[in-house]
Amino acid sequence: MPLPTPLRGVVPPVITPLTPAGEVDTASVRRLTEHLIDAGVHGLFLLGSSGEAAYLTDAQRLTALETAVDTAAGRVPVLAGVIDTARVLDRAADAVRAGAQALVATAPFYTRTHPVEIADHFRRVRAAAGLPLFAYDIPAAVHTKLPRAVVLDLAADGTLAGLKDSSGDEGSLRRLLVELRRSTPDFSVLTGSELTVDCALLAGADGVVPGLGNVDAEGYVRLYEAARAGNWAAAKAEQDRLAALFALTEEGDPALMGPSSAALGAFKAAARLLGLIDCAATAAPQVPLDEAAVARIGDRLAEAGLL
Amino acid sequence: MPLPTPLRGVVPPVITPLTPAGEVDTASVRRLTEHLIDAGVHGLFLLGSSGEAAYLTDAQRLTALETAVDTAAGRVPVLAGVIDTARVLDRAADAVRAGAQALVATAPFYTRTHPVEIADHFRRVRAAAGLPLFAYDIPAAVHTKLPRAVVLDLAADGTLAGLKDSSGDEGSLRRLLVELRRSTPDFSVLTGSELTVDCALLAGADGVVPGLGNVDAEGYVRLYEAARAGNWAAAKAEQDRLAALFALTEEGDPALMGPSSAALGAFKAAARLLGLIDCAATAAPQVPLDEAAVARIGDRLAEAGLL
Amino acid sequence: MPLPTPLRGVVPPVITPLTPAGEVDTASVRRLTEHLIDAGVHGLFLLGSSGEAAYLTDAQRLTALETAVDTAAGRVPVLAGVIDTARVLDRAADAVRAGAQALVATAPFYTRTHPVEIADHFRRVRAAAGLPLFAYDIPAAVHTKLPRAVVLDLAADGTLAGLKDSSGDEGSLRRLLVELRRSTPDFSVLTGSELTVDCALLAGADGVVPGLGNVDAEGYVRLYEAARAGNWAAAKAEQDRLAALFALTEEGDPALMGPSSAALGAFKAAARLLGLIDCAATAAPQVPLDEAAVARIGDRLAEAGLL
Amino acid sequence: MPLPTPLRGVVPPVITPLTPAGEVDTASVRRLTEHLIDAGVHGLFLLGSSGEAAYLTDAQRLTALETAVDTAAGRVPVLAGVIDTARVLDRAADAVRAGAQALVATAPFYTRTHPVEIADHFRRVRAAAGLPLFAYDIPAAVHTKLPRAVVLDLAADGTLAGLKDSSGDEGSLRRLLVELRRSTPDFSVLTGSELTVDCALLAGADGVVPGLGNVDAEGYVRLYEAARAGNWAAAKAEQDRLAALFALTEEGDPALMGPSSAALGAFKAAARLLGLIDCAATAAPQVPLDEAAVARIGDRLAEAGLL
């Protein structure tokens, strides 16, 4: 299927279920994919930060992506994260072979790069892969904020089809949206800030890539639909509910594990408790949540009426 | 006048007009204060970052504050910035003497402090001054983000009457708002993020402290009123217009001056072009905008129909 | 006394003893000052970060400075910290009145400034005060690193008499030293990095401003003298001993207090245990060390043969 | 050859020569390797930051490493960078196959990890590869500083054979050295701070990994030998000369390229001017130095008597 222009709606960054031995659990990938499509999501984003891409080998990445593409079977588009620096072209080739409908790439990381080099990086991916390309702005991971001018240039010359904004800089995003709507109205802007989706949609974003959507996809779909209908009070109430639910990402003991492991572990633990995946293991060397934390996550799901 | 509980609406962080010799221009303070009250603002915030408090002596701070309090004459409440570390208690005493209705204090800066020390800092200001106290969360200046737990504790025990959030962390603010609305509904949350005010109001904030409100107070009042009326499309359109106008803060040459000086200089240059103040000088050692930049600022005001 | 050119040797950043009620304990200031001069230090730096300047009122700063100047009575030069942004000129005037031989100023803080503005800040202090001026490079506090080009310019035009480098960027300092030694040989470079003083002296620095010098001034004087004599093995051994002793700054419980309070509290607790001051209180709102931590500090002093 | 314990001396982080088409130029790898061994270096570090590892594909990494190992032919040990997160085990297996004598791994990057996870990462690499492992502390690239306690634990249990410290935190390194010398005297500490090598050796480091060693390996060997002989004045003079030469890394135009590209480009341009490699191309998407910058680099080499 061709990618809708612009891509709109709820596009969860799909977690990558693993077996207890640490391999990709393809049966769980299929079950989770079906669930998300049933819930009404408008696309799937594989191999992002929530997909633990940084912790997966190339073969594991490919397995997860192929399984999701096969399961989606064209019902919704699949966006493939190709998060790498030099090897981004190899990952993009893998994604093309796996049948993804679009690619999502970050700025180079590990190295420090100039805006000219960042723009060239995206142009090389676009030229090599021949698929619509989304820029993934995630300074918490790559330690560079995509400059507004770079995004505008790459939107104008067709290098980028869209932006996944996980920068948390809503003021900069607003200025970008105002300019993009004048210049390139078909450019797709998806926010990764899952706690302020009503706001992003009010500001003109096209959709959202919510990690918490692995746990409550229906909630994000309702939120999106309320916003599209102009029912902002309903969108706000749904977002407030989801913001409260997000507390499940903080159940890990900060003395024993980091906030990323705690959040990813919580999404996976919740998905297992909800029956969406078989095993909540996160990839090594991440510290797993202990049983007490998982029990508290269960309590939060129950409070939210999800369990 | 007592401070309304919660304080709601548009509360501009008033710029401090200076004479060409660098002293506080009290006539311009009066004219600007009258203009803002005429425009319908709901309060005035003196001696904040937009007020160049860090660049003013104690005597200059007091002069600016006294003049604004005298001019406001109880028509709208005046919030006084007491931005300091050890000397915050002296500044708070000055603000009480000057007749302010509330105080606004940051976390300690220059030093690195623990959350327990930050909480104690606010408790000491509150105890000493006897006026309602707002915490000013501005990590760009003090290099500490106020932890959500500290704000909740200080709201619950009555230390804080409200929060001015200039952290730019809208996700954290959303989670805070959800919790505050359950626990302390009279607590006032004002956003300092002037580019996403419609979003903050949708999320449940009570009002806004917009630096750009020195240039277009009427616009922010219209935006606030549209949001209060539930007319989110109108609020969004007004915010988009103001976000475009904000480009006037980027007319300074980045090779010659920093972004803070460029933004403060632009607010003052615009206020002078609009006849609100007599002289656009910023406090030393800030680099002034050159004539070409001021001309471009004039063009932007004209495009916006303000000039 | 005029300031030696260049100033060389050990210049401790003197802690500010307080009474249990939080006022400056002038008797302890006198006793500590005498002790440091007896130990052979080459100057005293009052009102720096170790002096808790950020936590003192203007009156307290002045009392501490006047007492030290009076006690030193010209035997060693007294450098006065004038750490402030707008009010730096007022503090410099205070320091002149108190009889300091030199001033030490940071870049502006709280605000974000351009290198041109930082240079202008130092030029204004130098012009107003008429005393030799040291730039204090402390990015951990002011969140700007002094650019090498700014220091070189201000050294060349006589604005600065020296630099107190607490940046921790030894590579940049080395390049600066190589350039300064060619252009302005009388410029004084003092390192604030108390754990690598032998290295800084080998690299060509003139001296050191060691916070730990409040606890073991004799050690730093021995280290300095060994280095001056070209006995690098002895200097290295002394530095290793002092680096091990520095562990006393980490006895505070990180769950209860920050690293700055723990380090300052440790210097004061050690000085009290050594009989140099009467009370180990740190200024509010800093959390005090608990009794167990003070006991461990005593053990470390005993191990080091100081107690 | 087995790795000497501890590894001592000058171990340049070898640049990766590329052809104009962007492939690894194996003839130049051989010529450069011979030159470095002739200059007296004590080991070679392939595929580090100076080796542009982040910009090379897996196949390119392997080609560069195999060529260097084959050329070195056991005359000096070859350390192989295995800089990756999930795929570090694959890269380690490649390095074992290529015949490297030791591995060099960073903490995980892109993701945010807890110290427990960082320690586990190193333990997994050590267990899988069976070669001596160096931890590479480079917060500028991975945005985590290796905690001192983690290094001490991993030294004590034999996971790590050594540390390559490019953190720039000389105070922390000093405290680590003091503790390591007591507990694990065979542990090898190599500094990556090429501007303060005399200082690091005085402080007890075993050697240095200098990027500038690609340009002036003889200089670093002389510096190392002077230090080993206790001739600190000679070591200091050599370091001062090299610190001045380091200015060649700043000839790129900061408006057009970043500091990393400028420094890597300068090392390669200098190596080409010195006849050590055939082509100065850096890997895409880095901006190349322009002709004027290369000419200035040539002037600096001539001033230093190298050309």
Side-chain angles (χ1 to χ4, degrees), chain B residues 123-138:
Chain B
R123 288 199 175 97
R124 289 162 49 85
V125 177
R126 180 67 184 88
L131 279 183
L133 177 64
F134 283 68
Y136 187 177
D137 191 14
I138 183 164

Side-chain angles (χ1 to χ4, degrees), chain A residues 257-270:
Chain A
M257 63 196 305
S260 295
S261 300
L264 283 171
F267 292 155
K268 287 189 145 180

Side-chain angles (χ1 to χ4, degrees), chain B residues 7-111:
Chain B
L7 177 64
R8 288 214 171 100
V10 178
V11 183
V14 184
I15 54 175
T16 306
L18 301 176
T19 65
E23 290 309 313
V24 175
D25 174 357
T26 55
S28 289
V29 173
R30 289 187 185 280
R31 193 153 85 249
L32 177 61
T33 301
E34 286 292 349
H35 162 76
L36 294 170
I37 295 174
D38 285 353
V41 303
H42 307 84
L44 299 168
F45 172 37
L46 271 286
L47 304 178
S49 305
S50 294
E52 295 174 84
Y55 292 117
L56 302 181
T57 64
D58 297 343
Q60 289 172 322
R61 293 187 189 196
L62 189 56
T63 299
L65 179 60
E66 287 175 337
T67 307
V69 169
D70 186 62
T71 307
R75 289 175 289 173
V76 297
V78 173
L79 286 68
V82 292
I83 293 173
D84 227 317
T85 298
R87 297 168 294 191
V88 62
L89 300 185
D90 294 337
R91 295 297 75 68
D94 284 351
V96 169
R97 267 198 301 277
Q101 274 79 37
L103 305 180
V104 186
T106 67
F109 49 97
Y110 185 86
T111 65

Side-chain angles (χ1 to χ4, degrees), chain A residues 55 58 84 86-87 117 261 287, chain D residues 58 84 86-87 117 261 287:
Chain A
Y55 293 116
D58 297 343
D84 227 318
R87 296 167 295 190
E117 295 166 340
S261 300
V287 172
Chain D
D58 297 343
D84 226 318
R87 295 168 296 190
E117 295 165 340
S261 301
V287 171

Side-chain angles (χ1 to χ4, degrees), chain B residues 49 54-56 58 83-87 110-114 117 120 124 141 143 255 257-258 260-261 284-287, chain C residues 49 54-56 58 83-87 110-114 117 120 124 141 143 255 257-258 260-261 284-287:
Chain B
S49 305
Y55 292 117
L56 302 181
D58 297 343
I83 293 173
D84 227 317
T85 298
R87 297 168 294 191
Y110 185 86
T111 65
R112 286 173 298 163
T113 47
H114 189 273
E117 295 166 339
D120 188 36
R124 289 162 49 85
H143 300 277
M257 63 196 306
S260 295
S261 301
Q286 293 171 95
V287 171
Chain C
S49 306
Y55 292 117
L56 302 181
D58 297 343
I83 294 172
D84 227 318
T85 298
R87 296 167 295 189
Y110 186 86
T111 64
R112 286 174 297 166
T113 48
H114 189 271
E117 295 165 340
D120 188 36
R124 289 162 48 86
H143 300 277
M257 62 197 306
S260 294
S261 301
Q286 292 172 95
V287 172

Side-chain angles (χ1 to χ4, degrees), chain A residues 145-183:
Chain A
K145 167 91 183 88
L146 286 185
R148 212 161 58 235
V150 168
V151 176
L152 288 169
D153 282 355
L154 296 176
D157 71 12
T159 299
L160 294 179
L163 172 73
K164 173 184 181 322
D165 183 279
S166 294
S167 71
D169 186 341
E170 306 301 321
S172 178
L173 178 61
R174 186 58 170 265
R175 294 190 62 193
L176 184 65
L177 281 165
V178 169
E179 296 186 59
L180 282 169
R181 287 333 181 200
R182 291 175 185 160
S183 55

Side-chain angles (χ1 to χ4, degrees), chain A residues 49 54-58 61 83-87 90-91 106 109-114 116-117 120-121 124 136 138 141-143 254-258 260-261 284-287, chain D residues 49 54-58 61 83-87 90-91 106 109-114 116-117 120-121 124 136 138 141-143 254-258 260-261 284-287:
Chain A
S49 306
Y55 293 116
L56 302 181
T57 63
D58 297 343
R61 293 187 189 195
I83 294 173
D84 227 318
T85 297
R87 296 167 295 190
D90 293 338
R91 297 295 76 68
T106 66
F109 50 96
Y110 186 86
T111 64
R112 286 173 297 164
T113 47
H114 188 273
V116 167
E117 295 166 340
D120 188 37
H121 172 82
R124 289 161 50 84
Y136 187 176
I138 183 164
V142 304
H143 300 277
L256 300 180
M257 63 196 305
S260 295
S261 300
Q286 294 172 94
V287 172
Chain D
S49 306
Y55 293 117
L56 301 181
T57 63
D58 297 343
R61 294 187 189 196
I83 294 172
D84 226 318
T85 297
R87 295 168 296 190
D90 293 337
R91 296 297 75 69
T106 66
F109 49 96
Y110 186 85
T111 65
R112 287 174 297 165
T113 48
H114 188 271
V116 168
E117 295 165 340
D120 189 37
H121 172 82
R124 290 161 50 85
Y136 187 175
I138 183 165
V142 305
H143 301 277
L256 299 180
M257 62 197 305
S260 294
S261 301
Q286 294 172 95
V287 171

